[in-house]
């Protein structure tokens, strides 16, 4: 279950409320594309901005409309008691697994982060994906901490940041992580521009932002890598270079992907939670141009 393409859809908002109809359309699009899993309420899904009830509703909608596709659900929160409450609601809704990032206001120690994962794995029967996203959490996992956490019963996968661009360095990094964790725990790469490199280096999964809105090219890349056609996967990633460039120029994917979804008519304009604002008109025009150039509207 923790291999292949896990697609992270947006949680679009309209007038400061979750746009349920648009979210269902996104989930149905992923189901029809036959992604390997759907991860609701990841960073792309704006989980940190949503109330407990909003998260529970989004989780239920994802499970109801994903069909046979397993649904993983982000449960990160500032306090452990809140995390456990989100885990319970995800289990009740029928989620297949939990995604957990160590959210914090004050800097956390490794022992504190380990204690968080231990509390969740002791509390919930659902498998847990370790979410290492230093760009948003401002916490960086050491390889040793991966190893400690991965020994906990229930840990199923680790979502790592982008691997080095040099192929040998990328393989060395994945080998280093695998040497620290049990064999049953999978390694999934994030950072969409590094997906082909991560899969070629031996990662089992791609935890994909772009796959949540554009599953077709993400699946082409993933399937090529799974079939050992790493050159084809790299070529698909290179084809998408103008998209990766937008991510680089505009501060990551968090504003670009909503703009893509808006341009394709999948969600309404201004779909991000305030105070976040989307791209300006000039930037949106560039996004529209890249969509046309790469034929992503088909």
């Amino acid at each position: 279950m923790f291999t292949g393409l896990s697609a992270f859809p947006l949680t679009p908002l309209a007038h400061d409320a979750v746009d349920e109809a648009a979210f269902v359309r996104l989930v149905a699009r992923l189901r029809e594309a036959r992604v390997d899993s759907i991860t609701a309420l990841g960073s792309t899904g704006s989980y940190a901005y949503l109330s407990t009830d909003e998260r529970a509703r989004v989780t239920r909608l994802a499970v109801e409309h994903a069909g046979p596709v397993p649904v993983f659900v982000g449960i990160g929160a500032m306090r452990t008691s809140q995390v456990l409450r989100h885990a319970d609601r995800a289990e009740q809704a029928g989620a297949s697994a939990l995604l957990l990032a160590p959210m914090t206001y004050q800097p956390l120690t490794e022992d504190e982060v380990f204690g968080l994962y231990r509390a969740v794995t002791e509390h919930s029967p659902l498998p847990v994906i370790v979410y290492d996203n230093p760009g948003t959490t401002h916490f960086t996992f050491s390889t040793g901490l991966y190893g400690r956490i991965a020994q906990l019963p229930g840990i199923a996968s680790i979502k790592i940041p982008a691997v080095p661009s040099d192929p040998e360095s990328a393989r060395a990094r994945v080998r280093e992580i695998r040497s620290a964790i049990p064999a049953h725990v999978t390694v999934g790469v994030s950072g969409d521009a590094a997906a082909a490199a991560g899969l070629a280096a031996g990662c089992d999964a791609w935890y994909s932002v772009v796959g949540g809105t554009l599953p077709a090219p993400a699946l082409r890349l993933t399937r090529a890598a799974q079939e050992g056609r790493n050159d084809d996967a790299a070529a698909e990633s290179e084809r998408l270079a103008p998209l990766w460039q937008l991510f680089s120029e505009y501060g990551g994917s968090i504003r670009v992907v909503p703009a893509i979804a808006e341009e394709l008519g999948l969600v309404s304009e201004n779909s991000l939670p305030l105070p976040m604002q989307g791209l300006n008109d000039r930037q949106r025009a560039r996004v529209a141009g890249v969509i046309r150039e790469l034929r992503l509207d088909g």
Side-chain angles (χ1 to χ4, degrees):
M1 188 164 62
F2 302 97
T3 62
L5 178 68
S6 190
F8 283 51
L10 305 167
T11 305
L13 276 74
H15 308 294
D16 202 38
V18 174
D19 187 340
E20 296 188 1
F23 180 72
V24 167
R25 285 196 297 272
L26 291 172
V27 172
R29 179 179 171 92
L30 300 179
R31 180 195 68 228
E32 291 163 6
R34 298 184 180 181
V35 299
D36 297 299
S37 61
I38 295 170
T39 300
L41 299 175
S43 296
T44 309
S46 300
Y47 71 96
Y49 295 88
L50 304 181
S51 70
T52 298
D53 288 343
E54 286 173 326
R55 292 200 206 187
R57 179 61 178 156
V58 167
T59 299
R60 193 165 296 280
L61 288 171
V63 172
E64 288 176 356
H65 294 276
V69 181
V71 173
F72 309 153
V73 176
I75 60 168
M78 299 290 282
R79 292 168 56 198
T80 298
S81 60
Q82 295 168 338
V83 171
L84 299 182
R85 188 154 56 248
H86 294 317
D88 289 341
R89 301 290 284 272
E91 180 187 355
Q92 292 161 9
S96 296
L98 308 173
L99 175 76
L100 177 58
M103 290 180 64
T104 184
Y105 180 76
Q106 301 292 348
L108 294 174
T109 68
E110 288 203 348
D111 285 344
E112 289 167 338
V113 170
F114 176 80
L116 170 65
Y117 284 93
R118 180 173 58 194
V120 172
T121 55
E122 289 176 349
H123 179 83
S124 176
L126 294 180
V128 175
I129 303 164
V130 176
Y131 188 4
D132 184 358
N133 189 357
T136 57
T137 65
H138 307 293
F139 179 84
T140 300
F141 286 75
S142 67
T143 304
L145 184 57
Y146 283 159
R148 288 179 66 195
I149 293 172
Q151 297 296 330
L152 293 168
I155 299 296
S157 185
I158 300 175
K159 177 182 184 289
I160 66 170
V163 297
S165 57
D166 173 66
E168 184 50 44
S169 298
R171 287 191 290 269
R173 177 58 180 146
V174 175
R175 286 196 301 268
E176 178 187 19
I177 294 170
R178 288 201 184 280
S179 70
I181 64 177
H184 70 273
V185 176
T186 68
V187 177
V189 67
S190 61
D192 285 356
L199 293 170
C203 289
D204 306 288
W206 175 16
Y207 292 110
S208 174
V209 173
V210 75
T213 298
L214 300 169
L219 280 167
R220 282 196 296 271
L221 190 159
T222 304
R223 297 296 181 249
Q226 287 179 311
E227 294 165 8
R229 296 183 287 110
N230 290 328
D231 288 346
D232 291 343
E236 181 64 15
S237 184
E238 181 60 29
R239 187 182 76 86
L240 296 172
L243 182 56
W244 311 148
Q245 182 61 33
L246 291 177
F247 288 5
S248 177
E249 289 185 29
Y250 297 154
S253 60
I254 190 58
R255 290 176 178 82
V256 175
V257 171
I260 293 171
E262 292 167 16
E263 180 69 21
L264 296 179
L266 299 172
V267 303
S268 62
E269 290 190 9
N270 303 314
S271 60
L272 287 168
L274 291 171
M276 293 180 63
Q277 297 183 16
L279 302 181
N280 61 36
D281 290 343
R282 178 185 60 80
Q283 294 166 332
R284 286 175 181 274
R286 280 201 61 199
V287 170
V290 168
I291 290 172
R292 291 191 299 271
E293 175 190 351
L294 300 181
R295 299 182 181 178
L296 298 176
D297 51 354

